[in-house]
Amino acid sequence: MRRLLKSAALVGVSMFAATSAALAQSGYPSRPVQGIVAFPAAGGVDVMARQLLAVISGQLGQPFVVVNRDGMSGTIGFGAVAAARPDGYTLGAGPTTPISVAPHLLADVRYRVESFEYICQSFENVFTIAVPLDSAFRSMAELVAAARASPGKLAYGHSGVGTVPHLSVAHFLYRTGIDMSAVPYRGETAMLPDLVAGRVQLGAPSVALAVGQKVRVLAVFADSRHPAFPEAPTFTELGMPSMPPGLNGLVAPKGTPREVLAVLERACEQAVQSESFRAAAQKLSQRVAYLRDAQFAERAQEDHRYKGELIKVLKIRID
């Protein structure tokens, strides 16, 4: 145990020294940094982004000021990041859905997946299949059987066309040949009351939203069970098709200097490993999942390609 503690301490010191050395070499940051969150204040995305940037701010000695630029499915905020001067003083924090999905659905999106530098992935937002607490469905097998028996009769709620929960359920239905009616809402918090009341027979809320609500989680869209709902199997366990969770992290405009990105990547790694960030993730039932810059970029590009193909196959469009 002493050897393990000593080793962990040496790793921490090494990481801190590397960040300090890169910081001294680049001179970055020498003034406050703006972190754009493309979604409303006080939501789970906003809280996690603020926590990440607060820890990074403490490490780098400059304020990281959060600015909420929400609207148009996150494209307003990410559009502002893509168009910003690539000097490291404007960053984007949050889910990559507006990057991976919006360009396939909206003609007026002025950025692409290549318009950003990918600094780090910080956590994954896991979604579920949930039914009202008083629903007769107690398992996915029962739900699937009912859907097959009455095509189109069951209705599922989701947080908007092209969102991760919408695509997750639509993909599952397509791959299994099941027909259900889709009911879009303006965000998952708007969907939840109808789900709890049974006005839709099932929904796809995030784990974070489902915790403490009067719903029964039948399965999670993930490859491992979630500690918030340990009794709920994964789609992988059930042998059913599943999509990856929502990816969340930190990005910068394309062309941001490599030495600046190096400082941010090292600071982000330390921030994700910090007790305060992990405590915030646990409180919000989010799954910490760190990926460094190259890994995050590769995953974002693959997610963009995969979702583009899925949108074409499913013939999803925004009217």
Side-chain angles (χ1 to χ4, degrees), residues 291-311:
L291 289 178
R292 62 169 303 158
D293 48 2
Q295 296 169 313
F296 185 34
E298 182 178 358
R299 194 175 189 197
Q301 290 160 2
E302 171 60 22
D303 195 53
H304 174 265
R305 182 196 63 77
Y306 176 78
K307 287 194 168 82
E309 292 177 357
L310 184 61
I311 286 167

Side-chain angles (χ1 to χ4, degrees), residues 36 81 159 244-245 289-290 316:
I36 294 178
V81 175
S159 55
Y290 172 78
I316 294 173

Side-chain angles (χ1 to χ4, degrees), residues 5-19 270 273:
L5 291 173
K6 183 177 180 181
S7 176
L10 289 174
V11 170
V13 169
S14 176
M15 290 173 57
F16 180 79
T19 303
Q270 293 179 56
Q273 293 178 358

Side-chain angles (χ1 to χ4, degrees), residues 221-246:
F221 289 102
D223 54 9
S224 61
R225 295 200 180 199
H226 199 287
F229 296 102
E231 73 287 352
T234 69
F235 275 78
T236 303
E237 285 180 68
L238 296 172
M240 296 179 176
S242 179
M243 275 185 54

Side-chain angles (χ1 to χ4, degrees), residues 19-263:
T19 303
S20 299
L23 178 61
Q25 184 178 1
S26 68
Y28 170 87
S30 60
R31 54 186 170 86
V33 177
Q34 178 179 246
I36 294 178
V37 176
F39 294 88
V45 166
D46 178 69
V47 172
M48 291 296 292
R50 287 176 185 272
Q51 185 62 47
L52 180 70
L53 294 175
V55 179
I56 292 175
S57 173
Q59 293 172 6
L60 300 185
Q62 287 287 347
F64 277 60
V65 181
V66 174
V67 177
N68 295 92
R69 296 284 299 274
D70 57 291
M72 292 296 292
S73 302
T75 58
I76 291 177
F78 278 95
V81 175
R85 185 190 296 260
D87 56 7
Y89 290 95
T90 301
L91 307 175
T96 60
T97 307
I99 299 174
S100 59
V101 174
H104 299 298
L105 288 174
L106 302 172
D108 57 349
V109 176
R110 298 183 180 180
Y111 59 79
R112 294 293 180 265
V113 68
E114 301 85 8
S115 302
F116 303 91
E117 304 285 357
Y118 295 84
I119 297 167
C120 71
Q121 178 183 291
S122 55
F123 73 96
E124 294 176 340
N125 192 12
V126 177
F127 292 89
T128 74
I129 288 288
V131 296
L133 201 56
D134 59 358
S135 170
F137 303 128
R138 307 194 70 83
S139 69
M140 283 298 298
E142 294 178 357
L143 180 65
V144 168
R148 291 193 189 282
S150 303
K153 183 178 180 180
L154 298 183
Y156 73 92
H158 63 76
S159 55
V161 176
T163 58
V164 172
H166 175 218
L167 294 178
S168 296
V169 179
H171 170 251
F172 164 71
L173 297 178
Y174 173 78
R175 290 281 303 276
T176 53
I178 298 172
D179 181 21
M180 292 186 189
S181 300
V183 182
Y185 290 82
R186 292 177 63 87
E188 63 175 2
T189 53
M191 179 268 295
L192 186 64
D194 279 2
L195 175 61
V196 171
R199 288 186 282 272
V200 289
Q201 285 74 50
L202 64 145
S206 64
V207 167
L209 184 69
V211 170
Q213 302 296 334
K214 293 181 179 180
V215 298
R216 179 184 303 121
V217 173
L218 301 184
V220 294
F221 289 102
D223 54 9
S224 61
R225 295 200 180 199
H226 199 287
F229 296 102
E231 73 287 352
T234 69
F235 275 78
T236 303
E237 285 180 68
L238 296 172
M240 296 179 176
S242 179
M243 275 185 54
L247 315 179
N248 287 257
L250 199 61
V251 301
K254 187 70 176 179
T256 300
R258 185 65 250 171
E259 60 271 20
V260 170
L261 294 173
V263 171

